[in-house]
Amino acid sequence: MGFTTRWYRIPRPQTFLYLMSLRTGTELITLSLLLNKVSGVYGLLALLTGLHLSSLQLSMYIYSILALVITVLLASHIRTQSPFHCLALACFYILDSIINAAYTTAFGITWFLVISQHHSDASGGKAPGAGGSTIDETAGFTSPQYNVSHVDVAVAPDQGVGPGDEAVTVGHPGFSTTKIGPSLGHGVLQPESMSSIITICALWAVRVYFVLVIMSYARLVLRQHIAATSRANMALHTGSKSATMVENPFSPHYAEGRGWKGKLGRFMVALGKTYWLGSEEGDEAWMNNAQSYRRREEGLASPVPGVVERERRRRSGTGPPPPMPPLQAGQYLRVQDATDGR
């Protein structure tokens, strides 16, 4: 049963590409996200040149600008390891991936429909699909005026083309067209479509790995924050009502749980409560490995075990009593005998 649980749980990378820490990987992924969303600004600038955009394309560019602003606001908190902002960045990256998947699917279907129309109707016609007219205008090969693969030029006389001579061009038929209307299946089965599908699948495999890295880093930041602010001691499960869940850092009695940030934090945690707060076998080792890799990357020394143990005992209240304050001049201790007051 334990093996089945580990098999179906969400992967939790400890490093980024086995070369860098999770924090460095999150920064690089966020930088790539920023570069991707900057394209929305150039897309809207294209409107100034008179480029026609469909409603779907315009909505994508507007969303890219909003996503750019949100990413800029959250990216600065990666190094500060703010639990709220790191969790918000992870949730936003997941949401952005879903939205990008929807746009990729919509434009991919349109592209295959345009390809199908190119092979089925050489005489042209309105390109199907969302944004099909823009793709049809900018693709450069759809709806050709003449359907020929190459042209032979015949001139007379044999000496070559002289002043006033005329040349006759003879076109050879190009791709064979069918009378079947454009369809998604017909477009996918074209030879050039397979390379597009393989490229899209490869890029999305990388995107899924990026999602796992950002989620893992946000989970690490949450666990570190819980260990540092736990009400009783440094054990992750302390303070939680469930033995299989760690304490929610956005609970109302914590500073992070107050105001609108606390409500939003509790909502984001509730979306994946088992992942963010679930206590699983190997969590301590996973945290230690991720933290040690970051310390090696930054050249930091490992914490002294005795210091950690003293801090744990101080939080749990089992440590030695605090030392007595030094006596000032003129002060003295009064020792009361056990027989006093009889």
Side-chain angles (χ1 to χ4, degrees):
M1 186 67 180
F3 173 79
T4 305
T5 303
R6 290 194 299 270
W7 179 263
Y8 286 105
R9 74 179 183 185
I10 300 177
R12 297 170 298 173
Q14 298 178 5
T15 60
F16 178 64
L17 299 177
Y18 294 97
L19 299 174
M20 292 168 281
S21 65
L22 291 176
R23 190 183 72 179
T24 303
T26 302
E27 291 174 341
L28 294 177
I29 295 171
T30 305
L31 179 61
S32 67
L33 181 63
L34 289 173
L35 295 177
N36 177 265
K37 298 309 175 185
V38 169
S39 61
V41 178
Y42 292 101
L44 293 182
L45 290 178
L47 293 175
L48 302 178
T49 64
L51 179 64
H52 172 70
L53 297 176
S54 65
S55 57
L56 183 63
Q57 292 170 314
L58 182 61
S59 66
M60 183 189 68
Y61 289 135
I62 294 176
Y63 164 74
S64 297
I65 294 178
L66 296 177
L68 177 64
V69 175
I70 295 176
T71 306
V72 169
L73 295 177
L74 296 178
S76 59
H77 296 276
I78 296 177
R79 284 189 173 270
T80 61
Q81 297 186 354
S82 168
F84 172 79
H85 294 91
C86 290
L87 179 61
L89 179 62
C91 293
F92 173 71
Y93 195 80
I94 296 173
L95 178 62
D96 179 73
S97 300
I98 296 174
I99 295 176
N100 276 349
Y103 277 118
T104 302
T105 302
F107 289 120
I109 292 175
T110 302
W111 172 254
F112 292 132
L113 289 176
V114 172
I115 292 291
S116 177
Q117 183 195 39
H118 175 58
H119 286 274
S120 62
D121 183 13
S123 62
K126 185 177 179 180
S133 59
T134 305
I135 296 177
D136 188 39
E137 293 173 1
T138 58
F141 63 86
T142 58
S143 302
Q145 185 177 1
Y146 301 103
N147 180 24
V148 294
S149 60
H150 63 280
V151 178
D152 292 334
V153 180
V155 297
D158 296 338
Q159 290 78 9
V161 180
D165 291 337
E166 295 182 356
V168 179
T169 59
V170 180
H172 295 268
F175 54 83
S176 59
T177 59
T178 62
K179 297 301 181 181
I180 303 176
S183 63
L184 178 61
H186 182 255
V188 170
L189 295 177
Q190 299 306 316
E192 61 269 22
S193 299
M194 294 308 299
S195 59
S196 301
I197 295 176
I198 293 175
T199 302
I200 292 174
C201 292
L203 292 176
W204 271 103
V206 175
R207 179 78 181 219
V208 170
Y209 176 72
F210 285 176
V211 170
L212 294 177
V213 170
I214 291 186
M215 289 176 60
S216 186
Y217 178 70
R219 188 176 188 269
L220 177 64
V221 171
L222 283 178
R223 296 306 177 97
Q224 290 177 341
H225 180 77
I226 293 170
T229 60
S230 179
R231 290 179 298 178
N233 57 33
M234 297 185 69
L236 291 178
H237 64 274
T238 304
S240 176
K241 298 180 180 179
S242 174
T244 60
M245 292 284 180
V246 300
E247 193 172 10
N248 191 343
F250 300 105
S251 298
H253 54 269
Y254 282 126
E256 293 286 345
R258 300 170 185 170
W260 65 271
K261 286 187 177 181
K263 295 180 180 179
L264 183 58
R266 289 191 292 272
F267 173 77
M268 291 187 295
V269 168
L271 295 178
K273 189 173 183 178
T274 304
Y275 178 82
W276 302 119
L277 303 180
S279 180
E280 300 178 359
E281 182 182 357
D283 274 345
E284 296 293 338
W286 170 75
M287 283 188 60
N288 293 334
N289 291 337
Q291 292 173 347
S292 63
Y293 200 93
R294 181 182 64 83
R295 287 193 294 267
R296 289 197 303 268
E297 185 182 65
E298 299 178 355
L300 301 178
S302 299
V304 181
V307 176
V308 178
E309 177 63 19
R310 287 197 298 271
E311 178 67 14
R312 187 194 68 78
R313 296 184 62 186
R314 184 189 68 82
R315 292 176 181 273
S316 62
T318 59
M324 298 184 63
L327 297 177
Q328 302 295 330
Q331 293 182 343
Y332 61 93
L333 289 177
R334 179 176 181 273
V335 180
Q336 184 178 6
D337 187 76
T339 60
D340 291 351
R342 289 183 178 180

